[in-house]
Amino acid sequence: MLLDRVRDALWGTPTLLLLLGFGLYFTLRLGLWKPAKLAYAFKHTFFAGGKKAQGNNLSSFSALATALGGTVGVGSISGVALAISVGGAGSIFWMWVCSVLGLGLKYAEVALCHARRKSTKRGFTGGAMYCLQDLGYRRLAVLFALFCVASAVAGGSVVQAGAVAYVLSPKISSVAVRGALIWSITLIIICGGRKRIAKVNEAVLPIVSALFVLSTVYIIGANAKMLPSAFGQIFGEAFGFKQAAGGIGGATMMRVGCVRGSFSHEAGMGSSPISYAAATENDSHIQGLWGVTEVFVDSFVVSTLTALALLCTKAARPEEMFYALFGNTGTAIYGVALGFFAFAAIISWCFYGEEALAFLMPDGKRCFAVFRIFVAFGAAMGAVLSESAAFAAADIWGVLMMFINLFLLYKTRSDIIAMAKQKRG
């Protein structure tokens, strides 16, 4: 398939080495691989509460919820199942490696974009496009914004909506009806703009995340005797002690794990810094720590629990492990959780795309309405496209954004490290 070939070419070995190299640099320089540093980040985020919303700006928690809306969800659930099926259990190890290195990347991009954000009539706004423009790279700034808009319309939203359509298929057989339902719900939410998107995510994500985490913990506990075997599969296949099913090689495991990990936590892509830039928080270092917390929750809580539950139950898809333990109730729990996660991601990506569109056309208010219609239409297409095609498209737009964002981080690496050193406690 053409999309798969393009994705595989863009996500080749050079790209993986580039991403891992940047992640290694920032994670080591910032010391975020140390447990004490992670504890420090949690202390100043979850346990501090953050600043409240003011005007059209978001609270620290709303910014986190919006960012998590774009990361926790289908990429952390269906994406993990896809990684195991394509790359074997060993791909989960490489997802962990990519996520550890993503801690430094996420801090770097969030702190930078927050520090260089702009105050506009819409409230605080920022992102890689504004930073690049300030550095004199106007063309790259425009290109990044265009890729972000395209990703909102034809990338992440399609993947998320496809998962919703799959869950709805047993109840609603008509593809057209499923697509129309997804289109309607998406449009109702996103027409409220950034404040409604943030409020929906802030209200929904904590509850749904807790429900999903508790359910997967229960599934793992019920199959606790399989836990050593699950870890054995992950590490055994990752280091080549045995081949993954179907003869999957180490290079494929590494690529699949890193691609799925990057799609899940989006560190280095430059997407979630757009939401953090809209927060009322004045300290860019603290805002960067919220980004670190985001990666940890997404990768080492939701994604990891999903992977372990799948391996412990030998299920090919998440809904199978829920059904095996809870029956029809489990299927309903999974459907509700995935539906909320997916819609949270769709509206979060609408937030990113709309902010990118505002950069391209600061006075184009009418364009926002058209853009929202296209986002809803893109979501409806998720009911039609295959899961493989949807993930491939999202991966392509994501890596194109990432190339430009990594260039920005390279040009500003000294400023980012200096900012972190000034705030060390």
Side-chain angles (χ1 to χ4, degrees), residues 374-400:
F374 272 102
V375 169
F377 177 76
M381 289 300 295
V384 179
L385 295 177
S386 68
E387 183 180 59
S388 176
F391 268 107
D395 290 339
I396 290 169
W397 291 119
V399 76
L400 292 175

Side-chain angles (χ1 to χ4, degrees), residues 237-424:
E237 294 181 15
F239 294 108
F241 298 144
K242 63 178 183 177
Q243 291 297 313
I248 300 297
T252 301
M253 288 183 208
M254 181 178 177
R255 180 180 62 78
V256 171
C258 288
V259 171
R260 294 276 61 83
S262 295
F263 179 81
S264 179
H265 58 63
E266 296 179 7
M269 191 184 297
S271 52
S272 58
I274 296 173
S275 70
Y276 289 113
T280 54
E281 176 63 59
N282 295 320
D283 192 327
S284 298
H285 173 65
I286 296 297
Q287 203 62 52
L289 296 180
W290 281 94
V292 172
T293 302
E294 173 204 340
V295 174
F296 186 88
V297 171
D298 174 78
S299 299
F300 298 105
V301 177
V302 179
S303 293
T304 296
L305 289 175
T306 300
L308 292 176
L310 285 167
L311 293 172
C312 285
T313 58
K314 305 294 184 182
R317 297 187 65 92
E319 60 267 29
E320 294 176 11
M321 67 186 189
F322 274 84
Y323 179 79
L325 196 61
F326 301 112
N328 291 329
T329 302
T331 303
I333 292 173
Y334 173 74
V336 170
L338 188 66
F340 277 115
F341 278 141
F343 276 113
I346 293 170
I347 63 178
S348 292
W349 267 100
C350 179
F351 181 102
Y352 302 153
E354 194 165 306
E355 294 299 298
L357 188 64
F359 170 81
L360 295 169
M361 292 177 285
D363 299 319
K365 289 185 178 180
R366 293 182 180 178
C367 295
F368 296 153
V370 176
F371 168 74
R372 290 166 186 166
I373 292 173
F374 272 102
V375 169
F377 177 76
M381 289 300 295
V384 179
L385 295 177
S386 68
E387 183 180 59
S388 176
F391 268 107
D395 290 339
I396 290 169
W397 291 119
V399 76
L400 292 175
M401 290 174 62
M402 188 187 74
F403 287 145
I404 299 175
N405 189 57
L406 291 182
F407 171 79
L408 169 65
L409 296 182
Y410 172 77
K411 299 297 291 186
T412 56
R413 62 193 185 281
S414 298
D415 294 339
I416 294 168
I417 300 301
M419 184 192 314
K421 285 183 176 179
Q422 290 174 0
K423 297 291 183 175
R424 282 180 181 169

Side-chain angles (χ1 to χ4, degrees), residues 160-173:
Q160 314 297 335
V164 176
Y166 181 84
V167 171
L168 291 175
S169 58
K171 301 292 183 182
I172 305 175
S173 58

Side-chain angles (χ1 to χ4, degrees), residues 31-55:
L32 291 172
W33 56 275
K34 301 175 182 177
K37 285 291 183 181
L38 288 176
Y40 177 80
F42 297 152
K43 175 184 176 182
H44 287 275
T45 53
F46 277 142
F47 297 106
K51 293 194 174 183
K52 304 298 182 182
Q54 294 178 4

Side-chain angles (χ1 to χ4, degrees), residues 100-321:
V100 169
L101 301 183
L103 296 171
L105 267 179
K106 183 69 77 167
Y107 173 91
E109 60 184 0
V110 170
L112 175 69
C113 292
H114 184 272
R116 302 192 179 190
R117 63 185 179 176
K118 309 297 180 184
S119 180
T120 68
K121 293 179 181 179
R122 292 165 53 83
F124 289 127
T125 187
M129 53 276 191
Y130 290 98
C131 298
L132 286 164
Q133 181 169 257
D134 288 347
L135 293 173
Y137 298 102
R138 170 67 183 175
R139 291 181 180 178
L140 278 180
V142 169
L143 200 57
F144 178 88
L146 288 172
F147 287 153
C148 186
V149 171
S151 190
V153 174
S157 61
V158 178
V159 172
Q160 314 297 335
V164 176
Y166 181 84
V167 171
L168 291 175
S169 58
K171 301 292 183 182
I172 305 175
S173 58
S174 171
V175 173
V177 174
R178 293 200 300 268
L181 181 62
I182 293 170
W183 183 86
S184 301
I185 296 174
T186 302
L187 199 59
I188 289 170
I189 298 174
I190 63 180
C191 278
R194 60 194 268 174
K195 288 191 70 174
R196 182 182 295 177
I197 289 172
K199 285 181 178 179
V200 170
N201 280 331
E202 185 177 4
V204 169
L205 272 177
I207 298 173
V208 179
S209 297
L211 175 66
F212 184 82
V213 167
L214 290 174
S215 299
T216 51
V217 168
Y218 186 83
I219 291 172
I220 294 170
N223 296 273
K225 62 182 180 181
M226 298 298 296
L227 201 54
S229 175
F231 279 108
Q233 274 186 275
I234 292 172
F235 289 102
E237 294 181 15
F239 294 108
F241 298 144
K242 63 178 183 177
Q243 291 297 313
I248 300 297
T252 301
M253 288 183 208
M254 181 178 177
R255 180 180 62 78
V256 171
C258 288
V259 171
R260 294 276 61 83
S262 295
F263 179 81
S264 179
H265 58 63
E266 296 179 7
M269 191 184 297
S271 52
S272 58
I274 296 173
S275 70
Y276 289 113
T280 54
E281 176 63 59
N282 295 320
D283 192 327
S284 298
H285 173 65
I286 296 297
Q287 203 62 52
L289 296 180
W290 281 94
V292 172
T293 302
E294 173 204 340
V295 174
F296 186 88
V297 171
D298 174 78
S299 299
F300 298 105
V301 177
V302 179
S303 293
T304 296
L305 289 175
T306 300
L308 292 176
L310 285 167
L311 293 172
C312 285
T313 58
K314 305 294 184 182
R317 297 187 65 92
E319 60 267 29
E320 294 176 11
M321 67 186 189

